[in-house]
Amino acid sequence: MDNTSFQNDFVANTRHRAAYVQADTTGLLSRYFAGLNIWSTLVTLFLAAVVYDQVKYIYNKGTIAGPSWKMPFMGPFLQSVNPKFEQYYDKWLSGPLSCVSVFHKFVVIASTRDMARKVFNSPTFVKPCVVDAAHKLLRPDNWVFLDGKAHVEYRKGLNGLFTRQSLDLYFPRQEEIYNKYFAMFLDISQKERGGKAGPFMPHFRELMCALSCRVFVGYYMPDESVKKIADDYYCITAAMELVNFPIILPFTKTWYGKKAANMVMDEFSKCAAKSKVRIAAGGEVGCILDAWVKSMLDSAKYRQKLGNGEDIDPSEKPDMLLREFTDLEIAMTLFTFLFASQDATSSACTWLFQLMADNPQMLDKIREENLRMRGGDKNMSLSVGLVEKMEYTRAVVKETLRYRPPVLMVPYVAKKEFPITDTYKVPKNAMVVPTTYPALHDPEAYPNPEEFDPDRWIYGTAEQQTKNWLVFGTGPHFCLGQHFAILNLMALIGKASIELDWTHEPTPISEKIKVFATIFPQDDCRLVFKARDAEQ
């Protein structure tokens, strides 16, 4: 065979094989695409999304404690809908840092005192985020979501509302609420329940909501509106739980919460308008709203005098020059006060009454101290000066807050990658949650931490454990009203001690903790109240 024939045969065979391969490949592709439909495409995309979700979780988790894999997309959502204290506790014990991922949220939990404090004190990297629903309920432009200098400046304008002098102005409203609800407790126990014990946690929640409303807005709000807020606030609390469905859908917790929040905001706006008219007409300050409005008006008068070139005595300059706030801005701020106080003080109040019933010798000491400080006059009006003298009563309140801290966790969000340790960085936009319970139950700071012992605040070293005292947070976002909260609980339990007797009906779950935004006894604190004899 000559070379020309060989080359022709080779070329022909090569073309034949190429044509065969091309035909075969085309056939495979045709058969593949012919087998594709919308369902197989969706399955392929779903599997890819599952893989991406797992890879992202494992990457974000890094070396910290947490599940080795995540239930696709939702994570432990169903478990989180009904949170158990024991599950939280196990999580805290799993390591200084641990994690969980629910839906699109990657959550880092800072369990130790030092890790928690680092989050609280790192405004460069984190800011409070509350929960997803909070922006919708509190409104996105609420001051509580401000960051950096804007937050600091806004907060300065509120500091004057919680000075010692201001707190004295609020005590008459508080005492009126105490009297009203003590009478209600007696009616519930003796008339409705025939002297038998029953759950009082819901009634403590109503008491604290009514007290907050009267202290915040006085009598600008009618009784029926206060009652409706007290009744409906449960919906707001449920909507603000740490884990909730991220979208507001009809008839869900967040939907009912949004409706209740709108109602509260509307009521507070009406109160703001009424206060502006009354204070401008020379009315006296009787609540937090009045004090704020008066500061605004005083600031406006001072600026007007400056603008007119008048000579002004230095004493006329307000401590803090405020701009004028709209009714809605005032309403949003008052709502954050209610949000911050309602559930936490309700929890503290519930545990306080239960613990005093279980420790009658401690209640006797509170009663003796209150009568002694009043000079035997049970009807003496409350004042800051009077309540501040009550050393043992303060010790009982602080020990209650340590033993059963109302706020277990405070959610923050990472504004940027946060190097919380030398070996781990919290991813940007992840939620990072400092916890308070482990620090407040640290045996190095508080010996025998599971024992309720008020004396540790008088004879022990508890007052020196400032780094562990995280009940009200720390850093730039610490609780504005912490002094008010403690004085309120002291005044409440002190007045109750000299006017009421109460007993607790323990159940197997009385000491077990129920988590509902804050913490309560699982049996809702079963008490029975009766009036003390006049001679006692």
Side-chain angles (χ1 to χ4, degrees):
M1 180 181 294
D2 58 22
N3 288 338
T4 300
S5 299
F6 176 80
Q7 289 174 354
N8 289 338
D9 290 342
F10 178 78
V11 170
N13 289 334
T14 300
R15 288 175 177 172
H16 175 72
R17 285 195 298 272
Y20 177 80
V21 169
Q22 182 179 5
D24 186 61
T25 302
T26 303
L28 286 172
L29 292 174
S30 298
R31 288 193 298 274
Y32 174 76
F33 284 110
L36 277 181
N37 55 45
I38 188 169
W39 293 112
S40 56
T41 302
L42 289 175
V43 169
T44 302
L45 292 175
F46 174 78
L47 292 175
V50 168
V51 172
Y52 172 78
D53 191 48
Q54 293 299 322
V55 170
K56 184 179 180 183
Y57 167 73
I58 293 169
Y59 176 79
N60 286 338
K61 175 181 177 296
T63 58
I64 65 175
S68 56
W69 65 281
K70 172 190 174 184
M71 182 180 292
F73 308 121
M74 67 188 304
F77 171 69
L78 296 177
Q79 176 183 333
S80 303
V81 167
N82 184 26
K84 298 288 191 295
F85 175 79
E86 293 76 14
Q87 294 168 347
Y88 284 149
Y89 192 76
D90 289 342
K91 196 74 175 172
W92 301 332
L93 293 181
S94 67
L97 294 174
S98 58
C99 69
V100 68
S101 183
V102 181
F103 288 117
H104 62 297
K105 280 290 183 185
F106 182 74
V107 183
V108 176
I109 300 166
S111 300
T112 63
R113 179 199 71 182
D114 293 339
M115 286 292 100
R117 289 184 64 85
K118 186 161 188 177
V119 177
F120 282 128
N121 290 293
S122 296
T124 302
F125 294 99
V126 300
K127 64 178 180 179
C129 68
V130 198
V131 293
D132 285 340
H135 286 81
K136 301 178 180 70
L137 272 64
L138 300 177
R139 310 289 174 88
D141 48 351
N142 197 305
W143 81 281
V144 77
F145 301 122
L146 294 176
D147 193 27
K149 185 177 180 181
H151 173 265
V152 171
E153 291 302 315
Y154 199 108
R155 187 184 176 99
K156 282 181 181 178
L158 303 176
N159 285 333
L161 305 178
F162 296 97
T163 62
R164 193 172 181 277
Q165 181 180 5
S166 296
L167 297 181
D168 240 343
L169 298 174
Y170 311 148
F171 261 123
R173 302 288 83 79
Q174 293 170 246
E175 197 153 18
E176 289 165 2
I177 294 297
Y178 299 157
N179 291 336
K180 177 180 178 179
Y181 277 84
F182 289 170
M184 183 186 296
F185 292 171
L186 292 174
D187 283 345
I188 292 170
S189 291
Q190 301 304 322
K191 294 180 180 179
E192 294 182 17
R193 296 174 178 168
K196 295 181 180 179
F200 262 87
M201 183 272 278
H203 303 297
F204 290 138
R205 282 179 60 86
E206 183 180 331
L207 158 65
M208 284 303 176
C209 187
L211 187 143
S212 294
C213 287
R214 288 289 174 244
V215 169
F216 296 164
V217 300
Y219 284 93
Y220 297 118
M221 184 181 291
D223 286 344
E224 57 269 23
S225 295
V226 172
K227 182 70 167 68
K228 182 166 178 55
I229 291 175
D231 290 343
D232 290 1
Y233 201 87
Y234 179 94
C235 299
I236 297 173
T237 301
M240 292 283 203
E241 287 181 307
L242 186 60
V243 176
N244 240 320
F245 199 72
I247 302 171
I248 294 181
L249 297 174
F251 310 111
T252 60
K253 289 181 182 179
T254 48
W255 185 78
Y256 286 113
K258 176 64 174 170
K259 287 184 65 177
N262 289 344
M263 179 270 293
V264 173
M265 206 79 78
D266 184 56
E267 290 293 336
F268 281 157
S269 293
K270 293 175 186 176
C271 294
K274 293 175 185 176
S275 177
K276 287 179 178 179
V277 172
R278 179 175 167 276
I279 298 299
E284 293 184 354
V285 171
C287 60
I288 284 178
L289 174 57
D290 285 344
W292 193 8
V293 169
K294 188 175 188 307
S295 294
M296 282 187 261
L297 294 176
D298 290 345
S299 296
K301 290 177 183 177
Y302 179 79
R303 289 194 181 94
Q304 186 176 18
K305 288 183 178 182
L306 279 180
N308 294 337
E310 300 179 31
D311 291 331
I312 306 174
D313 189 282
S315 63
E316 293 184 49
K317 183 178 180 181
D319 293 333
M320 183 69 187
L321 283 172
L322 302 182
R323 64 174 174 85
E324 183 176 356
F325 292 85
T326 67
D327 295 347
L328 179 58
E329 285 179 311
I330 293 172
M332 289 192 294
T333 302
L334 293 174
F335 192 12
T336 63
F337 290 172
L338 184 63
F339 171 62
S341 65
Q342 166 60 13
D343 292 308
T345 55
S346 297
S347 168
C349 175
T350 303
W351 288 108
L352 183 56
F353 274 85
Q354 176 168 305
L355 286 164
M356 289 304 93
D358 291 341
N359 295 276
Q361 76 284 2
M362 296 179 186
L363 182 57
D364 286 341
K365 287 184 180 180
I366 289 178
R367 184 176 292 124
E368 184 278 326
E369 180 177 67
N370 274 260
L371 287 171
R372 175 164 40 86
M373 292 300 173
R374 295 165 182 264
D377 182 4
K378 295 195 297 185
N379 298 317
M380 178 181 286
S381 296
L382 290 167
S383 67
V384 171
L386 173 65
V387 177
E388 283 183 336
K389 294 176 183 177
M390 300 174 183
E391 180 185 39
Y392 188 76
T393 307
R394 177 183 293 275
V396 167
V397 167
K398 294 196 74 171
E399 179 67 355
T400 301
L401 294 172
R402 182 207 68 81
Y403 181 68
R404 289 292 183 262
V407 180
L408 298 178
M409 297 176 284
V410 186
Y412 282 71
V413 66
K415 298 186 288 186
K416 55 185 177 181
E417 194 173 65
F418 177 20
I420 193 168
T421 70
D422 293 338
T423 59
Y424 184 74
K425 296 178 181 179
V426 177
K428 180 181 178 180
N429 295 325
M431 188 181 285
V432 54
V433 183
T435 60
T436 64
Y437 192 94
L440 293 163
H441 285 250
D442 180 355
E444 293 186 11
Y446 307 105
N448 302 314
E450 302 309 318
E451 178 183 342
F452 182 78
D453 179 17
D455 284 343
R456 73 172 81 239
W457 296 94
I458 301 173
Y459 307 110
T461 61
E463 286 287 0
Q464 302 169 24
Q465 310 304 324
T466 53
K467 287 188 175 182
N468 287 70
W469 182 247
L470 298 179
V471 172
F472 298 100
T474 186
H477 292 275
F478 75 90
C479 178
L480 265 175
Q482 58 179 303
H483 190 45
F484 167 72
I486 289 177
L487 287 180
N488 178 38
L489 291 168
M490 290 172 63
L492 173 64
I493 198 66
K495 188 172 177 64
S497 73
I498 58 178
E499 294 192 7
L500 303 170
D501 279 322
W502 64 95
T503 54
H504 177 219
E505 180 183 83
T507 71
I509 55 175
S510 293
E511 280 296 313
K512 292 186 179 295
I513 294 173
K514 172 173 65 177
V515 180
F516 180 60
T518 51
I519 63 173
F520 297 94
Q522 283 189 12
D523 64 0
D524 288 341
C525 187
R526 299 181 60 82
L527 302 176
V528 58
F529 286 88
K530 65 178 182 179
R532 283 182 64 77
D533 294 336
E535 294 78 18
Q536 288 182 299

